[in-house]
Structure formats: structure tokens, C-alpha cells
Amino acid sequence: MSRSGHRGEDETLIEMTLTGDESNGALKDNSSITDSELPGNSEGLSSTESTFLISNHQRIDKNEQSKDSVFFRDGIRRIDFILSYTEETGKEAEKKAERRKDYELNLQKSGLELETEDKKESENGKTYFIKIHAPWEVLTTYAEVLNIKMPIKADDLTEESGNLLKNVLKPFRLPHEVMYPEPDYFTAPFQKGKQELFRIEDREQFFTPSIRNRIVYYILSRCHYGDEEGKKKFGIKRLLSNGSYLDAFPLHDSQYCKKTDEKNCERYTLYTHWAKFTHFYKEQPLDLIRKYYGEKIGIYFAWLGFYTEMLFYAAVVGFFCFLYGCITMDDSISSKEICDPNIGGQIIMCPLCDKRCEFWRLNTTCEPSQYSHMFDNVATLFFAIFMGIWVTLFLEFWKRRQARLEYEWDLVDFEEEQQQLQLRPEYESKCTEKKKNPVTQEMEPYLPPSSKAVRFCFSGATVLFWIALIIASIIAIIVYRLWVYAAFASIMENNQTLAPVSNLLTPQLATSVTASVLNFITIMILNFLYERVAIWITDMEVPRTHLEYENRLTMKMFLFQFVNYYSSCFYVAFFKGKFVGYPADYTYLFGQWRNEECDPAGCLIELTTQLTIVMAGKQIWGNIQEAFVPWTWNWLKRRKARNHPENLYNRWEQDGDLQNFGSLGLFYEYLEMVVQFGFITLFVASFPLAPLLALLNNILEIRVDAWKLTTLFKRPVAAKAHSIGVWQEILNSIAILSVVTNAFIVAFTSDMIPRLVYYYAYTQDTDTPMSGYINSSLSVFNVADFKEQSMPTENDMNVVSCRYRDYRYPPGHEKEYKTTMQYWHILAAKMAFIIIMEHVVFLFKFFVAWLIPDVSSEVKARVKREKFLTQKILHEYELEMLKEKLCNKSQPLSNDKEFIATKGKVELSASM
């Protein structure tokens, strides 16, 4: 199904003059296009300006043309693409000029029409602009080649929606003409020989600008420009990379801030109703985004919008879980015991580092233990299970939403775009051997298995090296934490300046915050470097197609980002405080630095701190990098342009000063959101406010991305995509892993399970079952048993015995310093909880996946009806053509049989 607008009236059509051989050139093979197969212009056309036959129209002088015009000088032919270059001097410049001459001549032979703007008319006086127009014959030919679906019949299926719901959601709605810029139509793949089937009311409006620039780019990417080093060279990408052209881009239809004389200023509409932050609560005009930018960008914003909508429910539940922790903070028996001078004040804890650290009283961690309760309470368990269910619902409902978009945007029978599946120019240039393709039976470039194996081995070794580098940086951060803790402890011990905040700013918290900030800076540096390395090693692998290139780069980048962003959180969640040993036998990193211990209230508050700093820092830095940097470059270019007369600063020059969105533009947008998705799912049990932070960021992200696309970037070439691609599998993998990580966080990082075991098995007071828990969770150690390297240098309190966080028998017991039975009960309970939680959530996931079909019954019915009507219309058309043929010619009896058979086929199709 498609949406197509109506045309204006009394518009003059452009006629093409075709040579005899070229006029019959129909495309028969998608994979190989030669000049003889394409509709072409008359011979003798120059590369400066094509010769055209235009009926009933006089040439318009350039001075009379609006600077925002998107037409040739004649005011009729629409500019579908722009090429720009500057003249140079020297031997290399001659080669570039020859390449351009051959390329432009071949573009004209393929049927495109060119018009050049002299450098004297450009705002900098140096740049030539070549305007490209695709005539009707070219558009119809390549629309059939690319299997583009076009409208054939109005949609007769109407949606029913409740008036009450419409009125409730009215403040969040956009105007109908913005949300639905075109009526609904049933569509069919365009066929040049059956144009009567399609709703061609106006040839100039039938193909939208996004379809036109997609077709032109397809030709540009396949048109050859000569032979070099015995190889046939082709494609605009290669010409851009060798400097023959400076840029190649389709035009925006208007300025973003004001309308022009055009009937449809879609860029202005998108900026007004979509890109402004004041519309943050409004729905997105997805059909208009798809119409203007293409399906690939449209599906990204559809996914981002749906993800943000689903985040709202997770954010609400997470906020109430956090609110529950705040309300019950004063009711926590554990915190009360730690803060009580008669309990926590009388418990002397063992030093947290060797020699330099002193003995300390438990009640000095009073406030951190209270804050820890906000995140470590019974609501944590509920929220961890809820998020396991939420992520399942999100992925399943997105599949349904995606299936609906596939239908509405004519992607049901979509095959990967030709630009994605065709061989990359880099692959063809680097492959010296050739091999026959078993499908096309044509000779194609071929990369030998030996060369492929060497490249993959080198690529894998490079990826492993960088992952090892990340792990080394994490170890360095751990060493920093171990080393700096002693320094903070000695500074804060008797510092009167820090006395007012000493209860809040403990050595543990100071170490955690500074280490998190340092870790974030390290992450950003490594991320900056690895982006370039990932592109380099992917290029070195020489992927065969563009789709293969994107998938390989995606997996490399995500694997690196996964380790880079999440490794520090994994350390705090699953390693810190787990392998400490006990005072008589501490565990040392590299035999030198004593392993970190958790706070008596647990490590969860440190995981929350780490997650907040890394997640929030990444989101803030990402928005600055995405919006501020391109805006600065464009601002500098605009300042230069102000020195020139405004009437010379044309639409193509304005767009030429904008930033390139690039083929990997969406890749970085997806990567940013998927990394965020990992933060709010993998470690959400430690920070219920993570979905709320992500929600606020995404509300801003949608408008920032929209603002970037409409104001800062050149118009991207429209491309099709029926899904979010390999990112769907990555999201599924993260969803499965998140169940495991959250189960382990609740079991091993949180104090939930030890408290429950104490509550049900070890409490000694039935009236207040949790009283005595702190004392039960701390073991006793005889100071005389310290090893020399661990013995503190000062003992002003004359401590004889100290406490440490573990479940071990006291000194003098027959099992001195051995683990107690309570330790094994808690460990068994933790493992049982992990198994039960994982099975419950996974069973629910599989049940929901089975219960919710990927395609709704309504969409299935619509798809079947569209296919039925399309087939019926095509058969009726064939029947009419056969009738007409029989009426005009006297045919043998066999034709009567053919007529009957055809009619029977139509009736059979109708009955089916």
C-alpha cells in the first residue's frame, strides 16, 4: 500500500529525442547495464549543457530565477541531483577533467539530462555545479528495474478508531495533512509496458523526489568513466574518493525556515512540525519522513519513537520503585543498626587497605547505607523481573509495528536494494581473479580463500588486541582504585575542612566517583580511536557487497562498544568484593595490590554510581557531538557566504555548504541507542531510574536528530529498508543476557538474598525479624593474626579484634576462619534464585513470543486483499489487451482458445 498525491494542472511535459537504437533499449538484466540497454539522448551533447526539446516554453534568464529554485534554467525540469567540482592545474587535474568528461557523456547516453553552472556564478567563484534531471523515460525504465511499487487503485479498506480515544489523544496529534501527506493506494511493481494500469495523473508528480533521487543515484553508482590500469572504472563513489568531484547530493526542496513558491515544501513542514523541540510531546509524521528521506531513515525514526513510547512504561514503574525506596529508607532495620551509636558505633571494622588505613567505626558509613537502601530493597527484585517482561513485550510488539510499516510502506515483498547487493567498487578493484557466477553465468571478481583467510585472521587479531587494550585499561582503573583509596583514607581521616561532608563523602565514595569519571574519559578516548580502526580493518577484509560491509562493521563496532562501555559495570557488579579473602589471608592483584572490598551495605550503590556517570556522561557527550559540532561547521560556512551577494547563493550552493549525512549516518544513531538499551536492561536492577534517564534523553534525541537532518545535513539519498536489520538480532541477544545479569545482580551484588535467608532461617527476634542482621553478616578477626604486610601502622584505639564482611567462624573456634553454614545456605539460596528467576522470565518470554504473532491478523488480511486486487487488475488488463488485439486483427482459432483460457484464469484467480 502506498500514499500518492494529486498533481497540478496545465504543466508542460518534457519530450526526449531518442536515436533509433537507443529508443528500444529496455533493461533486461538488473546486474549488467550497458549503454545500448538504456534510453539515451541525441548524440553530440556536451558535458556543459544538454540539448533539449521543450514544447511551449521559453528559456528563463538566470537572473529572473529564484535563488531557492530546484529547477533547471527553463523552470520546468526538476533538479534530481547535484555534482560539484573545482578546476585544478597539473597532470592529475587533467586526469580528473578527462574522467569527468567521460562520466558526464556516459550519463547523457544513459538518458540523464545535465546543465552546468559556471564557477563565475558560484558564491566562492571556484566551484562548478552540474545539475542532473531524469526524464520520464529514464524514470519509468529504472522504476521497473528497481521493482518500485506505484499506486494502481485507491485503498477500499478503512480503519475504525474510537472517537473517545481520538479526542483524548488530540493534543498529541499533528494535523492530518502532515501525518498523511498522501491518500492510501493499493500498489504494484511498476511496469513500463503497462503504464495504463497505474494512476499517472501527472508525470511530473507521479514519481516523488525521493524516488527520483534514488533512481538517479542508482545510475550514478553504475555509470562508467573509462579504463585505468586495464580495469573498467565506474561509479560516483570512486570519483568522489579520487577527487574528480567534490560532492554529489540530491537537493532539499526548500529552505527549512521559510516556504518557497513550490507547492510542497516538505522540508519546511518537517522542520515546523517535527524538528522543533516545542513539539516534543507530539507524534512523529512518519509517512512524511518516509516520503522525504526514504524508508531506511523512516524505519529508524519509527523504531526510535516506538522504543521511547515503551520506555515511558518502564520509566513510570522504575520511578515508583525508586520512590518506594525513598519512602521506606527510614524503616530499614539494617541502616538503623549501622547508624545507631550503640550498635554501629561500637563495631570496629578492620582496615580497608594495608598499613596506611586505620581501624574505623561502622557508623561512619551511616548515610551511604541509607542511600543504598533506595536502590537495594524488595522493589529491586520486582523491577528486575518486570524489566525482563518489559524487554520481551518491547521486542514482540515492535515486530508487529514493523510488519504494519512493511505493509503501509510497500515493503512486504521487499528484496535488498540493488545498491546494497551489488558488488562494492572496492571489492572489484582489489580482486584480481575472476570466477563465473552460477546464478548470472557471468564472470565476476573473486577473492581466493587463502587471501580471505589471511585477511580474517589479521582482522580478528586486531579486534582481540583492542579488546585486550580495553581490559588492560579496566585493570589500570582497578589499580587506581586500590592505590588511591589509601590516599583518600589518610586525607579524610583527620581533615577538619572535610568534616561537614565527612558523613556523606567517604573514601569509598570518593574513590568510586573519581574512578568512574576517569573510566568514562578512557572510554571516550578508546571509542574515538577504535571507530577508525574498525572501519580500516573492515575495508581490509574487502566485503563483497554493501550489505555485507555494514553487517561486519556493525558487529565489530558493537562488540568493541559492549566491552568498552559495560566492562567497568561488570567489574563492580560481579567481581568487586567477591574475591577479597579475609584479614589473615587477603587476595592481592598481581601480588601487590589488595583487592577491593564492598561497603558494609553492599556494592550496589557503587554500581549505581558507575552506571549513572557512564550512562549520563555518554548521553550528554553524544548530544554535544551530534548537534554542536555540525552546527559550528555550518555556522562558519554561513559566515563566509554572507560576504557574497544573496542572489548568487543558490539552492545547490546552500545545500553544498551543509554536512554530509554519509552512508554510516544511521549506523551511529542505531549504535548509540543500542548501547543505551544495554544500560537500561543489563544493569537496571541496580538503578531503577535508568529508564527515566533514557526516556528524557530519547525525547531530546528524536528532536535533535530531526533538527540535524532538516537543518545541518544535505538531503540523504533515499534508500529502502524493511527492518532495522542486524540490530534486531543484537537487541534480542541483549534481552536474553539481561535476564542473566539482573538475576546475578540481585543474587550476588544486592543484599536481598542474605537478608531473606536471615529473615527466614537465622532471626532470633520474632517481633523484629531483621534486628541483629548487621552483626550476623560481620565476622570477628583477632588483630594479632594480621600478617606483617597487612598490619596497620597506627592503632590509636588499641583495638584487639575487628569485624569484616564475611561469614566465617571466630578466632578460638575449632573451625577458626572457616566459612560457616550460613554462608553455604546463602550461596544455595542465591543459586536457587538465579535458576528460578531465569526460568520464570524465559518461560514468560517464550509464552509471549508464541502468544503475540509477529504480523497482526488485520495486516495479513490487508496484504492478502492487496495481492488479490493487484492480480485481478493485472489479469483484467491482459484480458482487455487481448480483446483489443482480437478486434483489430483477424486471428486463428487458437487465439479464441487463448482468450477463453485467459478468461478462465481470471475467473479462477477471483474464486481463489
Side-chain angles (χ1 to χ4, degrees):
M1 186 179 73
S2 178
R3 302 181 186 275
S4 178
H6 294 286
R7 64 181 175 93
E9 297 179 357
D10 303 327
E11 295 187 11
T12 308
L13 300 179
I14 299 175
E15 303 288 342
M16 286 186 62
T17 305
L18 304 176
T19 63
D21 293 335
E22 292 168 337
S23 60
N24 296 323
L27 285 172
K28 298 177 183 178
D29 186 357
N30 294 6
S31 61
S32 178
I33 300 179
T34 62
D35 295 339
S36 63
E37 293 175 319
L38 300 172
N41 288 340
S42 300
E43 294 182 2
L45 300 179
S46 66
S47 62
T48 305
E49 184 175 349
S50 303
T51 302
F52 302 99
L53 186 64
I54 305 172
S55 60
N56 302 325
H57 191 81
Q58 299 297 322
R59 185 174 296 281
I60 298 174
D61 189 86
K62 181 180 186 300
N63 293 329
E64 299 177 10
Q65 193 175 26
S66 167
K67 66 185 178 65
D68 284 323
S69 174
V70 292
F71 293 92
F72 275 26
R73 293 194 189 104
D74 54 45
I76 296 178
R77 289 167 292 172
R78 174 178 285 276
I79 301 171
D80 297 314
F81 228 87
I82 292 288
L83 303 178
S84 66
Y85 67 92
T86 57
E87 284 187 339
E88 301 174 5
T89 57
K91 187 176 180 180
E92 187 64 27
E94 293 178 3
K95 286 185 179 180
K96 292 179 180 178
E98 187 65 28
R99 292 182 194 131
R100 288 194 296 267
K101 181 180 178 182
D102 291 343
Y103 187 67
E104 291 164 25
L105 183 61
N106 288 327
L107 287 178
Q108 290 172 345
K109 287 180 179 179
S110 70
L112 297 179
E113 300 175 357
L114 277 61
E115 183 178 82
T116 300
E117 289 291 328
D118 193 81
K119 65 180 180 180
K120 296 178 182 178
E121 297 172 346
S122 64
E123 59 95 8
N124 62 8
K126 300 177 182 178
T127 308
Y128 291 89
F129 289 93
I130 300 174
K131 297 176 282 187
I132 300 176
H133 169 76
W136 173 256
E137 286 77 5
V138 173
L139 293 173
T140 54
T141 299
Y142 282 94
E144 184 171 3
V145 169
L146 295 175
N147 204 34
I148 296 175
K149 290 187 175 182
M150 301 304 294
I152 57 173
K153 177 178 170 50
D155 184 6
D156 59 356
L157 296 177
T158 57
E159 284 192 32
E160 296 183 3
S161 56
N163 292 328
L164 179 61
L165 185 61
K166 271 180 132 184
N167 293 331
V168 170
L169 299 178
K170 191 174 182 180
F172 305 99
R173 301 287 188 191
L174 289 173
H176 187 270
E177 62 275 11
V178 177
M179 282 300 298
Y180 307 105
E182 298 174 333
D184 287 345
Y185 290 106
F186 288 127
T187 61
F190 187 79
Q191 299 182 48
K192 187 177 181 180
K194 300 178 180 179
Q195 296 184 26
E196 299 85 353
L197 283 172
F198 299 89
R199 297 179 63 91
I200 308 176
E201 299 175 354
D202 179 6
R203 288 187 172 188
E204 294 304 310
Q205 300 294 328
F206 183 65
F207 293 106
T208 63
S210 61
I211 293 177
R212 296 174 71 101
N213 74 57
R214 179 182 157 212
I215 289 174
V216 172
Y217 184 74
Y218 179 81
I219 299 173
L220 292 176
S221 64
R222 298 174 67 87
C223 187
H224 73 273
Y225 58 85
D227 297 330
E228 296 178 10
E229 299 175 357
K231 296 180 182 178
K232 194 173 184 180
K233 303 292 184 180
F234 61 90
I236 188 63
K237 282 188 176 182
R238 192 171 288 168
L239 288 169
L240 289 171
S241 64
N242 63 32
S244 298
Y245 288 104
L246 294 179
D247 215 339
F249 56 91
L251 284 180
H252 284 293
D253 61 2
S254 67
Q255 294 187 39
Y256 69 86
C257 54
K258 68 177 183 180
K259 284 189 174 182
T260 61
D261 298 333
E262 296 297 314
K263 294 180 181 178
N264 296 319
C265 298
E266 293 173 349
R267 185 190 187 192
Y268 172 80
T269 304
L270 285 169
Y271 175 75
T272 304
H273 295 281
W274 179 48
K276 288 187 176 180
F277 186 73
T278 51
H279 287 69
F280 73 91
Y281 60 94
K282 296 279 190 180
E283 61 186 338
Q284 297 187 84
L286 294 177
D287 285 347
L288 186 58
I289 296 168
R290 173 248 182 170
K291 181 185 176 187
Y292 191 74
Y293 290 112
E295 288 81 0
K296 193 170 186 178
I297 290 178
I299 203 82
Y300 163 72
F301 280 103
W303 175 81
L304 181 57
F306 183 80
Y307 171 45
T308 304
E309 289 174 18
M310 291 294 291
L311 272 177
F312 173 78
Y313 304 106
V316 169
V317 175
F319 176 76
F320 279 108
C321 288
F322 174 75
L323 197 62
Y324 171 83
C326 294
I327 294 172
T328 60
M329 187 168 61
D330 294 334
D331 299 331
S332 171
I333 301 297
S334 301
S335 298
K336 287 181 178 179
E337 289 186 348
I338 292 175
C339 298
D340 191 340
N342 296 320
I343 301 176
Q346 301 302 316
I347 296 177
I348 307 298
M349 301 295 294
C350 296
L352 294 174
C353 65
D354 292 340
K355 293 189 176 182
R356 297 177 63 183
C357 294
E358 299 179 354
F359 297 98
W360 53 285
R361 296 185 185 276
L362 182 60
N363 64 349
T364 57
T365 61
C366 173
E367 292 190 21
S369 69
Q370 291 176 330
Y371 295 135
S372 179
H373 178 76
M374 292 191 297
F375 306 104
D376 191 1
N377 52 68
V378 69
T380 301
L381 173 60
F382 166 78
F383 192 60
I385 296 173
F386 169 81
M387 286 303 293
I389 297 171
W390 174 88
V391 73
T392 304
L393 294 175
F394 163 64
L395 293 174
E396 292 301 321
F397 281 121
W398 165 245
K399 290 178 185 176
R400 288 170 65 89
R401 176 74 172 128
Q402 187 170 261
R404 187 173 187 84
L405 288 175
E406 285 184 24
Y407 165 70
E408 292 178 351
W409 291 357
D410 301 319
L411 301 168
V412 173
D413 299 321
F414 170 77
E415 295 180 0
E416 292 296 342
E417 192 122 23
Q418 292 295 326
Q419 290 103 309
Q420 291 291 317
L421 291 180
Q422 68 177 337
L423 298 180
R424 296 173 64 240
E426 296 83 356
Y427 179 83
E428 294 184 281
S429 64
K430 292 182 180 179
C431 295
T432 56
E433 299 183 21
K434 289 199 172 184
K435 180 181 178 182
K436 181 179 284 188
N437 188 316
V439 179
T440 63
Q441 294 297 308
E442 295 180 357
M443 298 300 292
E444 289 185 353
Y446 167 70
L447 192 65
S450 57
S451 176
K452 190 179 293 185
V454 171
R455 293 172 185 273
F456 271 106
C457 289
F458 182 78
S459 173
T462 306
V463 172
L464 290 176
F465 168 78
W466 278 87
I467 291 177
L469 191 62
I470 298 172
I471 296 173
S473 70
I474 295 300
I475 293 174
I477 298 293
I478 294 172
V479 171
Y480 164 83
R481 297 171 71 110
L482 300 176
W483 176 80
V484 83
Y485 177 81
F488 278 127
S490 59
I491 291 172
M492 296 179 179
E493 186 67 29
N494 298 309
N495 195 322
Q496 297 301 319
T497 307
L498 299 175
V501 293
S502 59
N503 289 334
L504 179 62
L505 188 63
T506 61
Q508 293 98 323
L509 183 60
T511 302
S512 180
V513 171
T514 56
S516 298
V517 172
L518 185 60
N519 179 59
F520 173 71
I521 295 171
T522 306
I523 286 172
M524 291 295 104
I525 294 172
L526 289 174
N527 194 38
F528 174 80
L529 296 174
Y530 183 76
E531 280 184 11
R532 285 141 185 82
V533 173
I535 294 173
W536 174 69
I537 59 177
T538 306
D539 290 338
M540 186 269 302
E541 290 177 6
V542 197
R544 187 171 182 271
T545 64
H546 294 282
L547 184 64
E548 190 177 341
Y549 180 89
E550 285 188 13
N551 288 344
R552 289 189 189 180
L553 181 61
T554 298
M555 295 309 298
K556 287 184 183 67
M557 284 296 296
F558 178 74
L559 178 63
F560 177 83
Q561 299 247 4
F562 183 91
V563 179
N564 197 22
Y565 281 108
Y566 303 144
S567 55
S568 59
C569 293
F570 270 100
Y571 164 71
V572 176
F574 306 123
F575 295 98
K576 184 182 176 182
K578 307 300 185 297
F579 309 99
V580 177
Y582 63 100
D585 187 21
Y586 282 123
T587 306
Y588 288 83
L589 182 65
F590 304 130
Q592 185 174 358
W593 292 284
R594 197 175 106 189
N595 285 353
E596 283 187 283
E597 296 182 44
C598 287
D599 188 272
C603 272
L604 198 69
I605 189 67
E606 290 193 45
L607 179 58
T608 304
T609 304
Q610 179 77 26
L611 183 64
T612 305
I613 291 175
V614 175
M615 180 180 173
K618 182 191 179 302
Q619 292 181 167
I620 294 170
W621 175 252
N623 286 323
I624 291 173
Q625 196 175 26
E626 285 183 17
F628 182 73
V629 174
W631 178 86
T632 303
W633 282 111
N634 289 347
W635 179 78
L636 292 173
K637 289 183 178 180
R638 285 198 303 270
R639 284 188 63 84
K640 292 180 181 179
R642 289 172 188 170
N643 298 326
H644 299 271
E646 189 181 49
N647 62 344
L648 289 180
Y649 201 51
N650 292 307
R651 160 67 29 221
W652 45 88
E653 293 172 293
Q654 296 176 43
D655 284 9
D657 284 342
L658 299 177
Q659 300 294 305
N660 282 313
F661 188 66
S663 59
L664 296 177
L666 279 184
F667 167 79
Y668 291 110
E669 301 296 341
Y670 275 119
L671 184 62
E672 179 186 3
M673 288 296 102
V674 170
V675 169
Q676 182 204 82
F677 181 79
F679 279 123
I680 69 161
T681 53
L682 294 174
F683 308 102
V684 74
S686 67
F687 189 37
L689 291 181
L692 180 60
L693 289 182
L695 174 65
L696 297 176
N697 174 79
N698 287 8
I699 291 172
L700 179 64
E701 179 77 20
I702 290 174
R703 304 304 159 178
V704 168
D705 287 348
W707 176 73
K708 284 191 312 180
L709 274 174
T710 54
T711 65
L712 301 183
F713 287 98
K714 296 181 179 72
R715 186 174 184 171
V717 178
K720 281 186 174 289
H722 69 290
S723 68
I724 61 175
V726 70
W727 298 108
Q728 182 79 39
E729 298 305 318
I730 292 175
L731 291 174
N732 288 332
S733 301
I734 292 175
I736 294 172
L737 182 61
S738 68
V739 178
V740 179
T741 56
N742 283 301
F744 271 85
I745 286 172
V746 173
F748 286 97
T749 310
S750 162
D751 256 10
M752 177 66 60
I753 303 302
R755 286 200 294 262
L756 289 175
V757 171
Y758 180 83
Y759 182 89
Y760 288 106
Y762 289 92
T763 183
Q764 297 177 355
D765 188 344
T766 55
D767 295 331
T768 53
M770 288 306 297
S771 61
Y773 167 73
I774 292 297
N775 186 63
S776 172
S777 65
L778 298 175
S779 300
V780 180
F781 181 74
N782 189 344
V783 174
D785 294 333
F786 268 123
K787 292 182 179 179
E788 184 179 353
Q789 67 182 54
S790 303
M791 179 69 74
T793 54
E794 297 181 4
N795 188 0
D796 297 335
M797 294 187 289
N798 296 319
V799 177
V800 176
S801 64
C802 60
R803 308 294 292 274
Y804 60 99
R805 197 168 189 265
D806 206 343
Y807 296 92
R808 293 181 181 271
Y809 289 106
H813 193 278
E814 60 179 4
K815 296 182 179 180
E816 182 180 64
Y817 302 139
K818 300 292 185 182
T819 50
T820 64
M821 187 56 67
Q822 186 176 356
Y823 168 84
W824 297 108
H825 286 166
I826 292 172
L827 181 61
K830 287 179 177 180
M831 300 308 297
F833 170 79
I834 291 172
I835 294 171
I836 292 171
M837 178 177 170
E838 286 180 358
H839 280 69
V840 168
V841 176
F842 280 136
L843 283 173
F844 182 83
K845 285 170 69 71
F846 294 137
F847 175 73
V848 169
W850 170 80
L851 186 66
I852 303 176
D854 293 347
V855 184
S856 66
S857 57
E858 179 193 3
V859 171
K860 287 180 181 177
R862 286 175 173 269
V863 170
K864 289 179 180 178
R865 175 156 181 79
E866 181 167 353
K867 286 184 176 180
F868 165 74
L869 287 178
T870 301
Q871 190 178 31
K872 181 180 178 183
I873 292 169
L874 287 172
H875 287 166
E876 288 176 352
Y877 172 80
E878 292 175 359
L879 190 62
E880 289 299 319
M881 290 296 100
L882 186 57
K883 284 182 180 179
E884 186 178 338
K885 186 177 179 181
L886 290 174
C887 291
N888 293 337
K889 280 188 177 182
S890 176
Q891 298 291 342
L893 185 62
S894 60
N895 280 337
D896 294 335
K897 293 180 179 179
E898 182 183 350
F899 174 83
I900 295 171
T902 305
K903 185 177 179 181
K905 184 172 67 173
V906 174
E907 292 175 352
L908 179 61
S909 174
S911 65
M912 290 173 65

